[in-house]
Amino acid sequence: MSSTGLLLKAQNDYVVINNGVVEITWTNPGGIIKGIKYKGIDNLLEKKNKDLNGGFWDLNWSEPSSTKTRGKFDTIQGTDLQVIVENEEQIELSFTRMWSSEVQGEQAPLYIDRRFVVFRDVPGFYSYAIFEHTKDMPAFHLNTTRIAFMLNKEKFHYMVITDDRQRFMPSAEDRLPGRGEPLAYPEAVLLVDPIEPEFKGEVDDKYQYSLENKDNQVHGWICFDPPVGFWQITPSNEFRTGGPFKQDLTSHVNPTTLAIFLTSHYAGTELLVKFETGEEWKKVLGPVFTYFNSVSDKEMALSLWDDAKRQMNEEVQSWPYSFPTSEEFPKCGQRGIVRGQLLVQDRYLSKENLPGKAASVGLAAPGDAGSWQRENKGYQFWTTTDEDGCFVIKNIRAGSYNLYGVVPGFIGDYKYEVVITLTEGCDIELGEIVYEPPRDGPTLWEIGTPDRSAAEFYIPDPNPKYVNKLYLTQDKFRQYGLWERYAELYPENDLVYTVGVSDYQKDWFFAQVNREIGDNVYQSTTWQIKFKIDNVDQGGSYTLRVALAASNHAELQVRINDPTADPPLLSTGEIGGDNAIARHAIHGIYWLFTVTIPGSLLLGGENTIFLTQAKTANTFQGIMYDYIRLEGPSCQNGNL
């Protein structure tokens, strides 16, 4: 398609933009993308699916009484189209949907303005939306919102998530009854008779292709004939919820490509956006960039991924974009900067403050330390410190925030106690700020590394029946059914770890899950940590720190030397709903517990800590540990 300028054609049912290299067709005034014509392909999108076709914004919502993370699915249909900008270089379309009491119960109570921006000769388009809940709207829960593209099944077979996570994919038909066998939950299917024999015996599950927010910047698909790429680029995470480690979906079988803005995936109900009656809220989601590229030689088709990464870097450097016309999206000069240096004070490790290197530092809504994990209505701005702990957070929207931090190698969450108020164009220098991680005494022993992940623990090989070949040599935790391997390794007696003898990389199973003892009958598990103390301070207190990388409707109980002690030293009650175990993640929401152990309960010689996961409703209930540490009394051995 040769360059012919930028042309807009509106009809009764459709609106079409041709920018010289790509032609895009939307329904009018619905705003559903029905066609994308590019490089000789009549339509990059699928139009023959039974249910969902083309490209669209959607949301999932529920009534305020709901306790679930899923409700009513809504492919957002606009009721009005306006051309916001139309000139030789740029067109911006606005598809809006109002809300009134007449549609209560049928549509989410939101005013929604979806924008699409197309530039001359640019192979792609931008999209963003303004969601608004006003004082005359009722309460509800916003569970998910995203942009979804259903790609042409005949053209796109090769999916790329990262440099290492890319492959030819099975087809949607392979998941259907007869070709696919449903597993423990509907997203996971064993391919028993796929169209292409190479996929036989593999598990297909969209959750195997999730990414953390901080890494989820570009992903998509490649067509080899002709060699064309379809990519979803997200240049900023400011509008996503849950912080930099929150995980979400990317691309998966169908073929499907997603731009996720808000979901409860890997978090549970705590990340549902819950609105009260009359609560006023407004948020800009995006812009994100849907990018197309091509090469002339199909032997070079895989190089389209390198070009997509190059384009992603360009988009990141261009953030915040200057082109959105909505006043709700602040431009570069309307934003602020925060600078500083994060240091760590742990007198049991060093007399001097240590640089908080490679730390994640971010601004989010004011709250308690670590509250950014569950924050879901505002904006967040994160960066990574350098070797000296120095950081610069740029392009921050005006508003009031707390500064938060997470330092690899140290437990807990940092919070700068003073609320920081940013105004347009400000540049705030905080200087040295010091994080003092939780610490009551010297380390007597530790299990794992404090990195908010269970990746360093023992991850078993998958059942040969349930294999995704992509993960045979990398990210083993993404294989299906690993939770079942625990009962095979420990059919009767639970895990016992001996400090000074055991190796947590080999002897500490990555997830403490239930043991199935009958048809849908499960037994709680109790792990033991055995350790010796030669000289117990009977009058002192010892401190056990237990950091969890994930929890799914679990209850952790901690006892010392008596497995039946009632009450236990710690009982968390039922916590978490991140479903990280079932969804092939190595972490979900982070938890940190402190257990005080009176010296009078300890024995001179061998002692045993009992860790019980007490809930037994299903196989996915359980926890992943991040790190466990026993600290002696503060006077023992002194400090540095």
Side-chain angles (χ1 to χ4, degrees), residues 19 21-22 38 119-125 289-293 311:
N19 74 348
V21 293
V22 62
Y38 176 71
F119 289 95
R120 178 177 178 174
D121 294 333
V122 172
F125 61 90
F289 185 41
T290 304
Y291 175 62
F292 320 121
N293 57 5
Q311 187 65 41

Side-chain angles (χ1 to χ4, degrees), residues 483 486 509 511-515 523 525 527 581 619 621-623:
W483 53 85
Y486 177 77
F509 199 78
Q512 185 173 358
V513 293
N514 298 325
R515 179 187 291 104
Q523 182 183 63
T525 53
W527 292 7
I581 295 170
T619 189
Q621 277 184 320
I623 57 180

Side-chain angles (χ1 to χ4, degrees), residues 287-300:
V288 295
F289 185 41
T290 304
Y291 175 62
F292 320 121
N293 57 5
S294 66
V295 290
S296 58
D297 184 355
K298 62 182 179 182
E299 297 297 323
M300 297 296 294

Side-chain angles (χ1 to χ4, degrees), residues 382-429:
W382 290 84
T383 193
T384 303
T385 61
D386 65 14
E387 286 291 309
D388 298 317
C390 296
F391 62 89
V392 180
I393 307 175
K394 300 179 180 179
N395 302 318
I396 309 162
R397 296 174 63 111
S400 295
Y401 304 89
N402 273 135
L403 180 79
Y404 302 98
V406 173
V407 187
F410 297 92
I411 60 174
D413 283 272
Y414 171 75
K415 172 189 169 183
Y416 186 69
E417 289 300 332
V418 178
V419 173
I420 301 172
T421 299
L422 284 98
T423 55
E424 291 187 6
C426 70
D427 191 333
I428 297 175
E429 173 61 66

Side-chain angles (χ1 to χ4, degrees), residues 312-466:
M312 179 269 290
N313 288 326
E314 284 193 16
E315 302 300 324
V316 171
Q317 294 302 315
S318 300
W319 187 270
Y321 295 132
S322 60
F323 60 79
T325 57
S326 172
E327 294 181 356
E328 301 300 329
F329 183 80
K331 310 306 186 291
C332 186
Q334 298 171 295
R335 296 173 177 241
I337 298 174
V338 172
R339 310 170 188 269
Q341 182 182 21
L342 178 62
L343 304 175
V344 180
Q345 182 184 97
D346 187 335
R347 293 296 178 253
Y348 288 92
L349 293 181
S350 172
K351 293 181 179 179
E352 306 297 329
N353 288 345
L354 302 169
K357 59 184 179 180
S360 294
V361 179
L363 293 165
D368 297 330
S371 60
W372 51 268
Q373 289 188 108
R374 298 168 172 85
E375 194 280 318
N376 56 32
K377 289 182 180 176
Y379 300 90
Q380 298 194 19
F381 305 87
W382 290 84
T383 193
T384 303
T385 61
D386 65 14
E387 286 291 309
D388 298 317
C390 296
F391 62 89
V392 180
I393 307 175
K394 300 179 180 179
N395 302 318
I396 309 162
R397 296 174 63 111
S400 295
Y401 304 89
N402 273 135
L403 180 79
Y404 302 98
V406 173
V407 187
F410 297 92
I411 60 174
D413 283 272
Y414 171 75
K415 172 189 169 183
Y416 186 69
E417 289 300 332
V418 178
V419 173
I420 301 172
T421 299
L422 284 98
T423 55
E424 291 187 6
C426 70
D427 191 333
I428 297 175
E429 173 61 66
L430 297 179
E432 292 185 354
I433 57 176
V434 180
Y435 174 45
E436 188 172 355
R439 168 75 79 171
D440 288 326
T443 298
L444 300 185
W445 51 260
E446 58 189 348
I447 299 173
T449 57
D451 58 2
R452 297 180 175 241
S453 166
E456 69 268 29
F457 298 127
Y458 176 68
I459 299 171
D461 291 331
N463 184 327
K465 183 180 177 181
Y466 303 123

